[in-house]
Amino acid sequence: MLYGANAPLPLPSLLVSIYLLLAACVGNAVLLAPALNFLYGHFLPRLLLKCLRLIVYASGLLVPLALWWVYGWEMADRWDLASPQPWRAALAYYVAVCWFLSLVVLPLVTLGRLLRRRPKAALSHQSRVVDIAAELGYPPVGRGKYRWLARLPLNQVFQVEFSERTFQLPQLPPAWDGLSILHVTDLHFCGTPDRVFYDRVMDLCAEVEPDIVAVTGDIVDSHRHHRWIVPVLGKLRWRVAGFAILGNHDGWNLPNLVRRRLRRAGYRVPGNAWEQIDVRGQPLVVVGNEAPWLGAAPDLAGCPDGVFRLCLSHSPDQMPWARRHGIDLMLAGHNHGGQIRFPVVGSVFVPSRFSRRYDCGVFHETPTLLHVSRGLAGKEPLRYHCRPEV
């Protein structure tokens, strides 16, 4: 069908073209996001990661612009795999891949995530949300580098969800029935949120004294906020022991100083090692795993068999390692739940080799039960449909 040079496209053709253009843009994002997630799950120099991140962001912007420049509002008519121009044919094939990702792969993956069942070991989950800003009467934005982000509308960065999960593990000694663990992770002390935010959260945590406190890394995110460690984390109390490991951001911000401050606050800091403690008359092996940023995963060659193994790992990417080494329960953070979660689709940017697989929540892959907390904060104070969590 022929149209005059200045004649407008028929509405159906225009709508189809717009739909195809949007689908191609979404497919491009579906391709780039896992690639960026995979890169951030590896031990790479920070400068290189920043450069790669900029390249991915630029690709996410330039590809839609290129599609618009080549096809405009007439993608339905101009898209041609058999174009005599090699670059247009290559672009058409790339668009076809993007369509497949957005119209087939993304819906199937999303459906699979929505139908994912809660592990049988997870008996219950209840929670309450405390708006720290509302309690204080003002948003504790502080003086961090990205404090302006905390003021964006609808940002949930100060709305902390206190979750209580009950697990039933058959390998747990009967004497440990009712054992409680407080899992805190990803505090990212960097000025935003302000310290008053953390003080209030820790005060609320201290209202219930757990048997064990587990801090799973990314405690500081600057060279100037180590002094917060002792007064903030020192508020927590426990009946048996408190353990803390480091994350990648701690490794970039004077890790030895972080360890010294944690010990001063009363925590055991295993690093990439294990130790055995007594809990209600029964042995418990506590394993620290700071890989891949702060050394290799621990050697469990001398670890006793038949003893319950609790692992504190900053990244849930260590799940395959945990399964190979008979870890019964692993606590992790690092992924922040994605920080920005879209309705139905969920998270997008998750710094993991497995992309969104372990973004947050509970996962059971025999013999390991994994709990991934969304964490308390982040370098960029952004939270949409993804509240901070204890």
Side-chain angles (χ1 to χ4, degrees):
M1 187 174 294
L2 302 177
Y3 305 104
N6 297 319
L9 283 173
L11 184 59
S13 180
L14 178 61
L15 292 177
V16 170
S17 292
I18 293 174
Y19 175 75
L20 293 177
L21 182 61
L22 291 175
C25 293
V26 171
N28 181 61
V30 170
L31 183 65
L32 293 176
L36 185 61
N37 293 342
F38 182 81
L39 291 171
Y40 265 76
H42 288 76
F43 180 30
L44 299 174
R46 293 187 76 182
L47 181 59
L48 176 59
L49 281 176
K50 289 182 179 180
C51 292
L52 292 173
R53 189 174 183 175
L54 289 175
I55 291 173
V56 171
Y57 285 172
S59 300
L61 178 63
L62 292 177
V63 168
L65 291 176
L67 295 178
W68 167 253
W69 178 69
V70 174
Y71 299 115
W73 296 118
E74 302 175 34
M75 175 168 276
D77 297 318
R78 292 185 177 183
W79 179 77
D80 183 10
L81 288 173
S83 173
Q85 297 174 292
W87 68 270
R88 289 185 70 101
L91 182 62
Y93 275 101
Y94 182 78
V95 168
V97 171
C98 290
W99 284 340
F100 178 75
L101 290 173
S102 63
L103 302 177
V104 179
V105 174
L106 180 60
L108 289 176
V109 171
T110 301
L111 181 62
R113 288 170 61 88
L114 293 174
L115 296 178
R116 186 169 56 191
R117 295 182 179 181
R118 185 176 69 182
K120 292 182 179 179
L123 295 186
S124 67
H125 176 205
Q126 52 189 343
S127 64
R128 66 187 179 105
V129 176
V130 177
D131 190 331
I132 304 299
E135 279 201 355
L136 296 173
Y138 66 94
V141 172
R143 301 181 61 81
K145 180 179 179 182
Y146 300 105
R147 57 187 178 272
W148 61 274
L149 292 173
R151 298 186 182 277
L152 292 178
L154 305 179
N155 195 350
Q156 299 173 314
V157 70
F158 303 123
Q159 299 175 20
V160 181
E161 183 173 358
F162 292 83
S163 299
E164 181 178 316
R165 299 180 183 271
T166 302
F167 301 144
Q168 184 179 45
L169 303 174
Q171 63 271 43
L172 203 70
W176 292 357
D177 187 31
L179 188 80
S180 58
I181 302 175
L182 172 63
H183 182 197
V184 180
T185 190
D186 293 88
L187 294 95
H188 287 272
F189 295 155
C190 62
T192 298
D194 200 3
R195 181 179 148 181
V196 66
F197 167 83
Y198 297 101
D199 285 335
R200 181 55 184 149
V201 172
M202 295 302 115
D203 286 340
L204 290 169
C205 290
E207 291 178 357
V208 180
E209 186 177 11
D211 293 291
I212 295 172
V213 171
V215 181
T216 54
D218 275 4
I219 299 158
V220 298
D221 211 343
S222 87
H223 282 25
R224 297 181 291 107
H225 291 85
H226 297 79
R227 65 184 185 278
W228 289 11
I229 295 175
V230 175
V232 173
L233 288 175
K235 289 175 174 285
L236 301 180
R237 295 292 180 266
W238 47 79
R239 297 188 185 95
V240 179
F243 290 89
I245 62 167
L246 273 58
N248 53 310
H249 285 257
D250 300 308
W252 296 328
N253 291 284
L254 307 175
N256 290 333
L257 179 56
V258 178
R259 297 186 198 277
R260 289 200 302 269
R261 295 291 175 94
L262 286 169
R263 293 190 179 100
R264 191 186 305 174
Y267 291 83
R268 302 179 187 219
V269 187
N272 288 303
W274 63 272
E275 61 179 281
Q276 182 173 308
I277 64 173
D278 180 84
V279 179
R280 299 182 185 177
Q282 299 291 325
L284 168 66
V285 169
V286 180
V287 183
N289 190 331
E290 299 174 342
W293 300 280
L294 290 154
D299 181 7
L300 303 186
C303 189
D305 294 326
V307 177
F308 192 92
R309 297 182 178 185
L310 168 66
C311 178
L312 277 61
S313 173
H314 178 60
S315 172
D317 283 7
Q318 299 305 313
M319 183 63 156
W321 174 91
R323 298 182 67 193
R324 290 195 305 271
H325 291 83
I327 298 298
D328 296 289
L329 175 63
M330 184 164 81
L331 308 178
H334 183 59
N335 289 340
H336 302 190
Q339 288 195 208
I340 298 175
R341 300 177 67 86
F342 294 93
V344 182
V345 174
S347 59
V348 175
F349 176 63
V350 180
S352 166
R353 292 187 294 118
F354 300 100
S355 197
R356 304 189 299 158
R357 183 173 179 177
Y358 304 119
D359 55 358
C360 62
V362 185
F363 309 88
H364 190 202
E365 297 178 13
T366 307
T368 304
L369 183 70
L370 166 65
H371 176 255
V372 185
S373 170
R374 298 192 301 270
L376 263 181
K379 183 178 180 181
E380 291 87 8
L382 283 173
R383 293 275 180 165
Y384 287 94
H385 300 289
C386 186
R387 291 186 177 94
E389 179 184 39
V390 170

